[in-house]
Amino acid sequence: MNRKIIAAAICASLALAACGKSKDAEKAASATAPAPVAEQSAPASAESSNLTDQAVEAGKQTWEQTKEVTSDAADAVVSKSQEIYEGGKETASEAGQAVSEKSSEMYDAAKEKTGEVIDATKEKGAEMLDSMNKE
């Protein structure tokens, strides 16, 4: 039984020693071997990432400028529309007042003329009656 334990211990030692050498060999191989493709493209990936960041930043700046200009234009349109509305309202009010005054003047003039026509008709009618009664 002791032989079996000793044999197992020797096998384990050899296996561990082989593993250790294997790791050292991998380290030595990786130091002299060219880098994998993914590692070789790291600078290109960094450049691409940098360009992407620059594009995103430029897009943000463009969006902010567009938003600012659009906001300014919208404010200008609202302000001008308000001015036009107020001016139109004032002009319409003045025009309405002028129409109302003119209508009132015309009504008064028509009323006066109608009264004159009625009075003249009454006088003519009275004259005609008097002339018919005299005959």
Side-chain angles (χ1 to χ4, degrees):
M1 174 128 158
N2 285 336
R3 286 184 187 174
K4 286 185 182 180
I5 293 174
I6 295 173
I10 292 173
C11 285
S13 297
L14 289 174
L16 288 174
C19 285
K21 287 182 182 178
S22 175
K23 294 282 185 187
D24 291 340
E26 283 180 348
K27 286 180 185 176
S30 66
T32 58
V37 174
E39 290 180 17
Q40 287 178 354
S41 63
S45 178
E47 283 182 29
S48 175
S49 177
N50 191 20
L51 290 175
T52 302
D53 292 345
Q54 289 175 354
V56 167
E57 186 60 32
K60 285 179 183 178
Q61 289 175 356
T62 301
W63 168 248
E64 289 300 322
Q65 290 172 348
T66 302
K67 194 167 65 170
E68 187 176 318
V69 168
T70 303
S71 179
D72 291 347
D75 289 346
V77 168
V78 168
S79 296
K80 195 63 176 174
S81 296
Q82 186 68 27
E83 289 174 19
I84 291 170
Y85 171 75
E86 292 297 327
K89 189 168 82 171
E90 188 175 317
T91 301
S93 177
E94 291 171 358
Q97 184 65 31
V99 167
S100 178
E101 288 174 7
K102 197 64 170 170
S103 295
S104 181
E105 289 174 11
M106 292 177 74
Y107 172 77
D108 290 343
K111 185 176 166 185
E112 187 178 320
K113 281 291 182 189
T114 302
E116 291 173 6
V117 169
I118 289 172
D119 290 343
T121 303
K122 283 182 184 176
E123 285 179 26
K124 273 294 187 194
E127 286 176 12
M128 287 175 68
L129 282 174
D130 283 345
S131 77
M132 283 171 61
N133 285 337
K134 287 185 182 176
E135 290 182 10

